[in-house]
Amino acid sequence: MIPRPTPEYVSGHQLLTGRRAVITASAGAGIGLAAATRCLEEGAASVVISDTHEGRLAAAHADLAERFGPDRVLSAVCNVTREDDVEALMEHAETVGPIDLMINNAGLGGTAPILEMTDDQWQLVLDVTLTGTFRCVRAAGRRMRASGTAGTIINNASVIGWRAQEGQAHYAAAKAGVMALTRSAAADLAEHGIRVNAVSPSLAMHPFLEKVTSAELLEQLKAREMFGRGAEPWEIANVMVFLASDYSSYMTGEVVSVSSQHA
């Protein structure tokens, strides 16, 4: 298959004018940083980026601040497996006003056949990917309720939550849990005017993925895509922007597949 070319980058249309966003796992070159960039391009008043890697986080902060202005970009180191870190992140975000948008991008994968998978491997992936998302949904939801903000929460799931893949039992279980969490949280928060949705990417290409995944496996994954290529991180972020914007005002509890995979 000859891969279809990547489309031209979509310019901003001020879909998030005045919003205040918090985004986890947003250093580096993946979906989180793309989401932060897109939010700023769409007119967000402020974006708080967080990550566990201090060096990459500082670099991302400096880059975004230079491009969009230092007053619109904040950052805080946050490990979503630690409740104190999550609370500190929310408090830092609220220094510039109530939180309107929470994007839960933090997740951890890995490959291990289930017969060899240890309890520690299982627990770490679940704690970062599922329980970490829960902690952030709870913390952001409480603050949105208290401030009366008709906020939006967006979780990052994965098509692997629907489709089996060898060596991915822990990650698949965690991402399926994120989907269920999204639907249930949406039901709990609807009365407060808070919407909760998720994106479910198949394959998003970025340098870190290429470092931890063999070239052979990446080619196999690309071959499953009808476009013959992985998505650019900004293509996933575009759907997050849609879910954060008023264009999706009647959507909550939904998991949107961002994929060109064959059925």
Side-chain angles (χ1 to χ4, degrees), residues 105-117:
N105 180 62
L108 179 68
T111 300
I114 198 164
L115 298 184
E116 281 76 50
M117 188 179 294

Side-chain angles (χ1 to χ4, degrees), residues 47-72:
V47 173
V48 182
I49 59 173
S50 73
D51 208 285
T52 58
H53 195 289
E54 294 186 35
R56 286 200 300 264
L57 182 63
H61 185 154
D63 176 60
L64 292 173
E66 181 179 358
R67 293 166 59 192
F68 299 102
D71 294 339
R72 297 176 66 196

Side-chain angles (χ1 to χ4, degrees), residues 53 81 129 138 153 158 163 169 171 189 221:
H53 195 289
T81 69
T129 307
R138 179 178 61 186
I153 298 172
S158 169
R163 301 167 185 170
Y171 189 64
L189 296 176
L221 294 174

Side-chain angles (χ1 to χ4, degrees), residues 107-187:
L108 179 68
T111 300
I114 198 164
L115 298 184
E116 281 76 50
M117 188 179 294
T118 67
D119 282 8
D120 287 344
Q121 287 175 309
W122 171 272
Q123 190 58 51
L124 180 58
V125 170
L126 268 288
D127 199 17
V128 174
T129 307
L130 177 55
T131 309
T133 299
F134 155 71
R135 290 187 183 100
C136 292
V137 169
R138 179 178 61 186
R142 284 174 173 171
R143 285 163 170 80
M144 290 174 181
R145 179 183 63 181
S147 67
T149 302
T152 304
I153 298 172
I154 300 168
N155 300 324
N156 194 354
S158 169
V159 295
I160 203 170
W162 288 310
R163 301 167 185 170
Q165 185 172 317
E166 292 179 359
Q168 298 291 311
H170 46 3
Y171 189 64
K175 289 299 189 181
V178 169
M179 295 178 187
L181 170 65
T182 298
R183 291 188 287 267
S184 294

